[in-house]
């Protein structure tokens, strides 16, 4: 730190030099991000609530009501009237809370000490962090030929130590939806906690269904589903950080509660203590601003872009890994190594993301990637071919 105060202008100049090194969503070159530029109105609201702290909700009763309203509205999208949950920093923290609830619940009611969680090979790496922090063993369920959980493989790995089963509604790499209805039944039959990670799909599947896409049910209408992660800072166009965790029962929050002596509330269930109210306020604003109609338009437009891109790739001769269910396309060149193709695209200024399972170039068609960017990208891919 400098000894003397520095003029605001000078500080801003310094910061903008750093900022220039960042990529800008608006350039349409960021191909692999599941976040995008937040809506300007959400950013405006976010700034107004920057000093609110939901870690001490007795001091911020209004903002606490906003968080409750947001959880209720997201719950309505996910077919539950009275959900319990929080707006947290993102999918990682939401998944961590779900797994912590499952572990504590299994410890309290079933006496499971060295627990295991079953996740698909396609699960986001946040579950590895959760298992590490919560001292749980990860057991992977295999995927079928369509890169979704193989239900038979899942059944085989259930054991007396299983504290949770996880399935994904919108996988990180391919945007696919696991057979959640079937898994919900299996979870119920075996009396096992079932968490659905819809961090990516939660803000698009309900809207795509509204405009006629035949997508499977993934939400609380399935009796076995205990919790769902859904991130406003991905397809919800809310500013970072905004993740959502919704539970079916209040008990799942209670089994995580610890005493919080010096605060205005007696207990706290969230991982984070001091917690931004701005995320809830901005999510509230953007959800009201778009409404179901607005989100449906966005989701359908992005799917149209997705199909345009997929068909363009196939016309050139690229191999598309699977029929997109959500707005992600993964592809390979029939002969060129994926890493070579990625390098060539990077040289042309595209910020490329490479999937691991299977290895492929992965493009997430977020709101910042417009049709003109896709046309440019297809032109470059044609030249490379
Ligand atoms: C399915 C899924 N779950 C969880 C996460 C983690 O979310 P975050 O990066 O907001 O912590 C991601 C991130 O892309 C994701 O795709």
């Amino acid at each position: 730190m400098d000894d003397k105060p520095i003029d605001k202008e000078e500080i801003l100049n310094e910061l903008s030099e750093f900022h220039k090194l960042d990529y800008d969503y608006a350039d349409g070159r960021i191909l692999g991000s599941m976040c995008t530029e937040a809506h300007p109105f959400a950013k405006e609201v976010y700034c107004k609530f920057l000093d609110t702290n939901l870690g001490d909700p007795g001091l911020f009763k209004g903002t606490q009501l906003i968080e409750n309203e947001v959880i209720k509205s997201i719950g309505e999208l996910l077919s539950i009237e009275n959900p319990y949950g929080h707006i947290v920093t993102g999918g990682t923290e939401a998944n961590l809370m779900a797994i912590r609830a499952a572990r504590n619940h299994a410890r309290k009611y079933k006496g499971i000490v060295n627990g295991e969680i079953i996740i698909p090979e396609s699960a986001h790496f946040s579950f590895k962090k959760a298992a590490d922090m919560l001292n749980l063993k990860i057991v992977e369920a295999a995927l079928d030929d369509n890169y979704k959980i193989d239900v038979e493989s899942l059944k085989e790995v259930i054991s007396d130590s299983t504290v949770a089963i996880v399935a994904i509604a919108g996988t990180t790499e391919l945007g696919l939806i696991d057979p959640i209805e079937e898994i919900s039944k299996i979870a119920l039959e075996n009396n096992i906690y079932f968490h659905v990670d819809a961090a990516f799909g939660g803000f698009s599947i309900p809207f795509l269904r509204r405009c006629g896409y035949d997508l499977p049910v993934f939400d609380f209408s399935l009796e076995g589903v205990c919790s769902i992660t859904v991130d406003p800072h991905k397809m919800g166009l809310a500013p970072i950080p905004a993740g959502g965790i919704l539970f079916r029962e209040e008990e799942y929050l209670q089994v995580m509660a610890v005493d919080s002596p010096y605060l205005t509330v007696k207990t706290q269930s969230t991982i984070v203590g001091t917690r931004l109210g701005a995320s809830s306020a901005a999510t509230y604003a953007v959800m009201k601003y778009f409404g179901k109609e607005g989100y449906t338009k966005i989701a359908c437009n992005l799917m149209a872009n997705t199909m345009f891109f997929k068909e363009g790739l196939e016309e050139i001769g690229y191999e598309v890994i699977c029929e997109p269910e959500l707005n992600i396309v993964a592809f390979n060149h029939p002969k060129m190594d994926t890493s070579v193709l990625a390098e060539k695209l990077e040289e042309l200024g595209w910020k490329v993301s490479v999937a691991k399972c299977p290895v492929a170039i992965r493009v997430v068609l977020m709101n910042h990637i417009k049709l003109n960017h896709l046309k440019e990208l297809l032109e470059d891919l044609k030249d490379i071919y």
Side-chain angles (χ1 to χ4, degrees):
M1 196 189 289
D2 300 286
D3 283 335
K4 297 244 184 279
I6 294 181
D7 191 60
K8 268 193 209 166
E9 199 75 16
E10 198 182 324
I11 300 169
L12 286 172
N13 284 340
E14 277 178 20
L15 286 171
S16 81
E17 285 306 308
F18 286 115
H19 205 11
K20 277 184 199 156
L21 299 176
D22 296 342
Y23 277 82
D24 192 346
Y25 285 118
D27 294 339
R29 297 255 146 186
I30 301 178
L31 301 180
S33 174
M34 295 184 127
C35 292
T36 189
E37 188 172 359
H39 192 276
F41 179 50
K43 290 194 246 190
E44 188 187 320
V45 171
Y46 188 90
C47 293
K48 287 190 201 294
F49 282 79
L50 269 181
D51 294 326
T52 60
N53 170 17
L54 285 176
D56 206 355
L59 302 181
F60 300 95
K61 288 189 178 144
T63 307
Q64 175 67 82
L65 288 174
I66 295 173
E67 185 185 43
N68 296 347
E69 285 294 315
V70 171
I71 293 299
K72 203 170 161 56
S73 298
I74 298 178
E76 191 210 325
L77 289 177
L78 303 178
S79 313
I80 188 167
E81 211 173 307
N82 288 311
Y84 301 87
H86 291 287
I87 293 300
V88 295
T89 53
T92 300
E93 192 187 342
N95 286 339
L96 176 57
M97 277 186 72
I99 299 304
R100 183 167 171 237
R103 182 201 64 170
N104 290 9
H105 196 266
R107 190 165 59 195
K108 181 170 175 187
Y109 293 102
K110 298 185 191 166
I112 298 177
V113 185
N114 295 312
E116 297 175 352
I117 54 169
I118 301 175
I119 64 170
E121 278 175 34
S122 54
H124 185 262
F125 55 80
S126 48
F127 291 102
K128 296 202 169 133
K129 295 183 188 174
D132 184 34
M133 283 186 254
L134 299 167
N135 206 17
L136 295 166
K137 184 177 158 203
I138 286 197
V139 179
E140 275 189 349
L143 303 183
D144 63 16
D145 294 343
N146 299 315
Y147 305 103
K148 298 183 181 198
I149 293 184
D150 178 316
V151 175
E152 288 310 312
S153 150
L154 169 75
K155 283 186 193 161
E156 276 166 26
V157 291
I158 290 175
S159 79
D160 289 343
S161 304
T162 307
V163 299
I165 296 172
V166 173
I168 322 292
T171 56
T172 310
E173 297 199 325
L174 302 176
L176 297 176
I177 304 164
D178 282 322
I180 290 168
E181 190 166 1
E182 250 180 295
I183 300 170
S184 165
K185 283 187 196 139
I186 296 168
L188 270 185
E189 277 162 22
N190 290 277
N191 186 26
I192 295 172
Y193 187 103
F194 180 31
H195 174 64
V196 175
D197 181 0
F200 182 64
F203 259 96
S204 63
I205 301 168
F207 304 115
L208 288 172
R209 283 166 63 94
R210 263 172 72 94
C211 62
Y213 283 86
D214 183 21
L215 295 174
V217 183
F218 72 103
D219 63 17
F220 287 108
S221 59
L222 303 170
E223 217 186 317
V225 173
C226 301
S227 54
I228 303 182
T229 288
V230 43
D231 283 357
H233 75 195
K234 294 189 169 73
M235 289 295 288
L237 299 177
I240 298 168
I245 178 67
L246 274 74
F247 294 100
R248 184 187 288 279
E249 307 284 347
E250 194 173 14
E251 171 75 9
Y252 296 130
L253 283 173
Q254 284 164 353
V255 291
M256 294 192 279
V258 297
D259 291 343
S260 48
Y262 66 94
L263 299 179
T264 51
V265 280
K266 289 196 170 61
T267 64
Q268 196 172 78
S269 299
T270 47
I271 312 273
V272 171
T274 300
R275 209 156 57 78
L276 264 174
S279 302
S280 287
T283 303
Y284 181 97
V286 75
M287 286 183 75
K288 289 261 179 197
Y289 183 80
F290 283 126
K292 288 183 192 138
E293 218 176 279
Y295 279 120
T296 302
K297 233 185 205 166
I298 294 168
C300 290
N301 184 35
L302 295 182
M303 272 317 282
N305 285 355
T306 303
M307 296 319 286
F308 170 82
F309 183 54
K310 181 222 157 201
E311 282 157 19
L313 285 168
E314 285 173 340
E315 256 168 48
I316 302 170
Y318 285 94
E319 290 170 351
V320 173
I321 300 295
C322 58
E323 189 63 24
E325 283 189 307
L326 300 179
N327 45 321
I328 298 182
V329 179
F331 65 98
N332 276 315
H333 188 285
K335 295 206 182 79
M336 195 183 295
D337 198 69
T338 310
S339 59
V340 176
L341 177 57
E343 240 169 66
K344 285 183 188 284
L345 285 168
E346 288 274 342
E347 276 164 19
L348 292 168
W350 299 99
K351 290 312 293 169
V352 178
S353 161
V354 178
K356 192 178 118 226
C357 180
V359 175
I361 306 279
R362 148 189 181 274
V363 177
V364 189
L365 289 106
M366 297 299 285
N367 210 35
H368 57 270
I369 304 179
K370 308 293 182 199
L371 212 50
N372 60 311
H373 302 126
L374 290 176
K375 286 179 184 162
E376 261 181 68
L377 178 56
L378 285 169
E379 277 305 311
D380 282 349
L381 283 162
K382 205 189 246 173
D383 291 345
I384 291 170
Y385 199 82

